[in-house]
Amino acid sequence: MSALLPTYARSGLTFARGEGAFLFDETGARYLDFSSGIAVTALGHAHPHLVAALNEQAQKVWHVSNLYGIPDQERLGQRLCDATFADRVFFANSGAEAVEASIKCARRYHFANGAPERFRLITFEGAFHGRTLATIAAGGQAKHLEGFGPPVGGFDQVAGFDIDAIEEVISDETAGVLLEPIMGEGGMREVPYRFLQDLRALCDEKGLLLILDEVQSGVGRTGRFYAHEWAEITPDIMASAKGLGGGFPVGACLTTEAVGQAMVPGTHGSTFGGNPLAMAVGNAVLDVVLEPGFLEHVAQMGLRLKQQLAGIADEHSEIIAEVRGQGLMMGLQCKPENTKLVAALRERGMLTVPAGDNVVRLLPPLIVDEEEIDLASRTIDAACIALKAGDAG
Ligand SMILES: *Cc1c(COP(=O)(O)O)cnc(C)c1O
């Protein structure tokens, strides 16, 4: 019996090392990693620049606490602000903490502006924002809430991307709207750009804050630094994590100056958040992601993958119902159970991630090349053929 809480349905695979887009088990068997630890190892495994940054910082100082100045935290914060809408950043250790900080910022903003009654956030069915008590309430999924007592209050969930439905639930207590520009866990569902633009306009009109959860879609994943850039809008608050540390736990809550100035000393904090080791790696990730041409590479690889997937979906319409997503955040909605395709791919040496709505997520590292994309497509094709043969037999 394992000593660990049985919270995960593990595949039983273990890995001894990784290199670029590949993982290797103890026997040396190779796996093409199109899961990236669920969009975390954005620069692949053992990226030399990240390994060097981590090693170098490890010789100097790992941790000091936010009681003291942390130069690399200032630097990473400034770089994130320079590259986005944001003026202020708070560092955390995970996606859920980044969303939690975002929720607190939204409430505190209205409190600081004389409207403490405005604390409610509008959220969306099928959303995923993490596993803390507040973020499971924000996600609103019964399977995540069950057995954990009364959900944290202050979340009003709507179905679909319908601006009239949003207007209907806005009350004097509404503080803002929280959503993922592409729903990851929910099945790689893209929010229409038009809806995001209408939402931005509505928030401006009603004095509400637009909060984006870019924990999965951010840091280059879609071919822009953050996915909302495609819709040519900016949020007031944004949660980032996953790819931001390239595999080292780093989360961040980014805000405008108007929101950020409400978070005065004592309003929020984290022991580990933004520690020197994490910040050294975060800065190294940005060195690569913000290098001229890198995001274009992601967009190009994404296009290549999308085109090939479209061909595979045409060929195997009994297996694949729909191709979704953007850049290197792609999803295959399946006709048979998605876990069957995940297993068939795993048997053929390729790692993917199931998602809601019967989707298989493809999340290659952003450094993936043409050959690896082509290998992935051949593997998916072979898995679909095998699944069809299995159904026939
Ligand atoms: C993964 C994820 C989270 C939670 O991140 P953790 O690091 O697991 O806490 C929150 N929001 C989105 C959109 C995610 O994909």
Side-chain angles (χ1 to χ4, degrees), residues 70-130:
I70 300 175
D72 268 351
Q73 191 184 122
E74 294 283 352
R75 178 160 176 262
L76 184 55
Q78 190 59 54
R79 292 174 83 188
L80 285 170
C81 289
D82 290 347
T84 67
F85 74 96
D87 305 304
R88 298 278 187 164
V89 182
F90 177 87
F91 286 104
N93 313 287
S94 67
E97 284 176 283
V99 176
E100 187 94 17
S102 300
I103 295 166
K104 287 181 72 175
C105 283
R107 291 183 175 190
R108 188 76 191 192
Y109 165 83
H110 289 292
F111 171 88
N113 285 283
E117 74 284 359
R118 293 177 80 167
F119 70 97
R120 306 190 69 84
L121 294 179
I122 296 168
T123 58
F124 292 79
E125 259 176 39
F128 181 78
H129 298 298

Side-chain angles (χ1 to χ4, degrees), residues 45-315:
H45 299 284
H47 190 289
H49 186 61
L50 300 199
V51 173
L54 185 77
N55 280 331
E56 197 186 314
Q57 187 60 42
Q59 317 281 328
K60 295 185 198 164
V61 57
W62 292 19
H63 180 86
V64 295
S65 147
N66 287 302
L67 293 169
Y68 309 101
I70 300 175
D72 268 351
Q73 191 184 122
E74 294 283 352
R75 178 160 176 262
L76 184 55
Q78 190 59 54
R79 292 174 83 188
L80 285 170
C81 289
D82 290 347
T84 67
F85 74 96
D87 305 304
R88 298 278 187 164
V89 182
F90 177 87
F91 286 104
N93 313 287
S94 67
E97 284 176 283
V99 176
E100 187 94 17
S102 300
I103 295 166
K104 287 181 72 175
C105 283
R107 291 183 175 190
R108 188 76 191 192
Y109 165 83
H110 289 292
F111 171 88
N113 285 283
E117 74 284 359
R118 293 177 80 167
F119 70 97
R120 306 190 69 84
L121 294 179
I122 296 168
T123 58
F124 292 79
E125 259 176 39
F128 181 78
H129 298 298
R131 298 298 204 113
T132 63
L133 286 168
T135 55
I136 57 175
Q141 298 201 39
K143 64 179 182 196
H144 294 156
L145 287 161
E146 188 183 33
F148 298 113
V152 170
F155 299 99
D156 300 308
Q157 202 155 56
V158 296
F161 307 121
D162 173 4
I163 209 78
D164 295 332
I166 307 279
E167 284 207 66
E168 255 169 52
V169 296
I170 292 175
S171 74
D172 295 343
E173 293 184 343
T174 305
V177 182
L178 166 65
L179 80 167
E180 304 155 77
I182 300 177
M183 286 186 166
E185 310 284 330
M188 301 311 223
R189 270 186 286 167
E190 295 163 84
V191 178
Y193 297 160
R194 181 62 203 273
F195 178 75
L196 286 173
Q197 290 159 359
D198 289 349
L199 201 53
R200 176 70 271 178
L202 183 65
C203 286
D204 289 341
E205 184 196 320
K206 307 273 187 192
L208 306 180
L209 298 171
L210 180 60
I211 308 160
L212 293 180
D213 179 348
E214 291 235 30
V215 168
Q216 193 162 153
S217 56
V219 198
R221 180 54 54 192
T222 67
R224 303 293 288 268
F225 191 35
Y226 285 93
H228 66 261
E229 294 168 27
W230 289 110
E232 295 177 342
I233 55 137
T234 58
D236 301 291
I237 304 174
M238 179 175 75
S240 185
K242 290 202 164 99
L244 190 52
F248 199 97
V250 181
C253 167
L254 285 70
T255 77
T256 59
E257 179 59 20
V259 173
Q261 67 184 5
M263 300 300 283
V264 296
T267 51
H268 197 45
S270 167
T271 296
F272 292 117
N275 92 357
L277 215 43
M279 296 298 97
V281 181
N283 272 303
V285 169
L286 287 206
D287 290 344
V288 178
V289 171
L290 295 178
E291 211 168 80
F294 186 85
L295 293 172
E296 287 78 1
H297 167 81
V298 175
Q300 277 168 15
M301 292 304 108
L303 215 55
R304 187 182 186 94
L305 180 60
K306 193 175 208 160
Q307 282 166 352
Q308 295 182 1
L309 293 175
I312 293 169
D314 275 349
E315 180 85 21

